[in-house]
Amino acid sequence: MHQAVRPLILGLGGTTRAGSSTERALALSLKAAAAHGAETLMIAGPSLMLPMYVPGEVERTPEAARLVAAFRRCHGVIVASPAYHGSMSGLVKNALDYTEDLRADERVYFDGLAVGLIVCAGGWQAGGQTLAALRGIAHALRGWPTPLAAMLNTATPVFDAAGDCLDLSARFQLQEVGRQVVDFAKARIGRGIEAAVVPH
């Protein structure tokens, strides 16, 4: 009997400040994904301080090469961004721009992958706008945004000093995002659709 393949879920996001609310939210969602049977990899915060993506530039720093390799290997993605002035952070957008390295792969960009989305904002308006922007990018990258996204209003405390989530609604949203990404990935694996691809 063959051992079931554990999907690899990539978590991407956070801010340059280690332990930010966005990074903690992403970690909680990935923890739920792991509990649901996935392997997880988080590339967050300072690890996303990459050179600006430049079209046509082929040289990659070790950090950028690691990110692109993770894009290629993963069976699903969870993207978490703070809301900066009504949209996602430049840090997260720049990281997502590196998916362009997958344009000639057998699986282009995030084609057919579930993309879970998390937004942390100091108010509901900015959160809604940022979530809409992230959904648009997920579609542009040929991904499937999960039915539920997590939108956290950090104007009031969401996490305590230890990183535990204080808000029951936020916790449910984050856990459900992780579970939905894993469920979708397992369904694709069950149909024999491989995630690992080899560029042309």
Side-chain angles (χ1 to χ4, degrees):
M1 183 176 179
H2 295 293
Q3 185 177 4
V5 175
R6 295 180 65 199
L8 173 65
I9 308 304
L10 170 64
L12 171 74
T15 73
T16 55
R17 181 172 59 85
S20 66
S21 294
T22 309
E23 187 173 324
R24 288 175 171 177
L26 179 59
L28 197 160
S29 194
L30 287 174
K31 183 177 179 180
H36 207 50
E39 291 186 52
T40 62
L41 172 64
M42 185 165 77
I43 300 180
S47 296
L48 292 178
M49 295 182 66
L50 308 170
M52 288 296 293
Y53 177 79
V54 178
E57 176 62 56
V58 296
E59 294 296 322
R60 294 285 171 258
T61 64
E63 294 78 14
R66 175 175 178 250
L67 176 64
V68 172
F71 285 154
R72 288 195 166 110
R73 289 177 50 222
C74 69
H75 298 85
V77 186
I78 301 175
V79 180
S81 178
Y84 286 173
H85 307 128
S87 191
M88 76 202 72
S89 70
L91 191 74
V92 171
K93 179 59 169 65
N94 185 55
L96 289 170
D97 285 344
Y98 277 88
T99 56
E100 189 64 16
D101 283 10
L102 281 63
R103 67 188 177 280
D105 285 11
E106 182 179 345
R107 189 196 76 201
V108 180
Y109 306 134
F110 293 155
D111 188 24
L113 299 189
V115 182
L117 302 172
I118 299 169
V119 173
C120 291
W124 295 117
Q125 180 176 336
Q129 292 175 182
T130 302
L131 179 56
L134 284 172
R135 283 190 184 278
I137 288 175
H139 285 140
L141 294 177
R142 308 185 189 184
W144 295 76
T146 54
L148 181 70
M151 190 166 66
L152 281 57
N153 185 347
T154 55
T156 57
V158 178
F159 297 94
D160 64 18
D164 294 321
C165 190
L166 302 170
D167 187 291
L168 292 177
S169 175
R171 185 186 309 160
F172 168 79
Q173 292 177 61
L174 294 168
Q175 291 174 336
E176 191 61 18
V177 166
R179 284 191 289 262
Q180 288 185 359
V181 172
V182 175
D183 282 341
F184 194 94
K186 286 181 175 179
R188 284 177 56 84
I189 291 171
R191 296 198 305 273
I193 303 172
E194 295 294 333
V197 295
V198 179
H200 296 301

